[in-house]
Amino acid sequence: LYILVVYFLDKDKSDWTSSFILYRPVFMTGVLNDWLGYATDDWSTYRVSKNTKHFFNELHRWVYKNKKIHIPRLSVIERGVGRLHTHFLIETPQHYSTKFYKKLLRKCWCKTQYGIDVKFENVYDEKELKKYLSKEIYHNNDLGVDVLNSVKR
C-alpha cells in the first residue's frame, strides 16, 4: 500500500504544523464527489491524495508557469460527518490579489476528476487553525497530514 500520511504524538503535532510559515494564507476546504467522498475502501485516501496532487499541479501551471517555485501549503485529508474531504492552508502569491486567487483555486479544484466544490474561510488565528487541521491525526487512523502535497517554505 502507498504511504501518504504522517502520524504524530500530540506534543509533536503543534510543533510540526507551526513550522509551516505562510504569508497571506487562504484556508480552503475541497469537497469531493459522492463516489470518492463516501468511499470506504483502502485506496480512497490514495485517490484523494492523487486528486490533490493534480489540483496543485494545475494551480502551479497557472501561478508560476515553468518556474521551479513551489507554493507553500499544508494539506490535510479528513473524514467529517462520514465524508472524505480535504483542507488546505495555502499561501497567496505576491502577484495575486486574494480575491482573484480564490477564483483560481476554485477553477483548479473543480477541474480535477473528483473535485466538485470549494469552501473558503477567513484566516484570523493561524495558530488555532493549524491546531484544528491536526485534530484527526491519530496512530490508528489513515487520515491526517498529506505529506506528499504539503510544502514548507
Side-chain angles (χ1 to χ4, degrees), residues 10-116:
D10 286 341
K11 64 182 180 168
D12 297 330
K13 287 182 199 178
S14 61
D15 292 341
W16 193 79
T17 56
S18 65
S19 69
F20 283 84
I21 299 167
L22 304 170
Y23 305 105
R24 294 194 318 144
V26 173
F27 180 61
M28 174 183 142
T29 300
V31 181
L32 300 160
N33 66 11
D34 289 344
W35 182 81
L36 185 57
Y38 292 110
T40 57
D41 64 331
D42 294 335
W43 290 96
S44 56
T45 306
Y46 172 75
R47 287 187 192 102
V48 173
S49 183
K50 290 295 279 184
N51 193 68
T52 302
K53 182 177 181 180
H54 292 299
F55 162 67
F56 283 119
N57 285 342
E58 181 66 21
L59 181 63
H60 189 271
R61 280 190 284 275
W62 277 92
V63 174
Y64 290 119
K65 306 285 186 228
N66 296 326
K67 295 182 183 176
K68 295 191 182 218
I69 300 170
H70 295 285
I71 301 167
R73 67 224 180 214
L74 177 60
S75 175
V76 175
I77 301 170
E78 67 178 38
R79 183 177 302 278
V81 195
R83 185 182 182 99
L84 278 172
H85 60 279
T86 57
H87 290 299
F88 307 112
L89 195 55
I90 311 170
E91 182 172 296
T92 305
Q94 287 180 320
H95 58 285
Y96 284 126
S97 69
T98 306
K99 184 178 178 181
F100 178 78
Y101 194 53
K102 286 180 180 180
K103 288 180 184 178
L104 184 59
L105 290 169
R106 180 179 303 278
K107 178 180 181 175
C108 293
W109 181 256
C110 291
K111 193 173 180 180
T112 63
Q113 183 177 3
Y114 303 113
I116 58 170

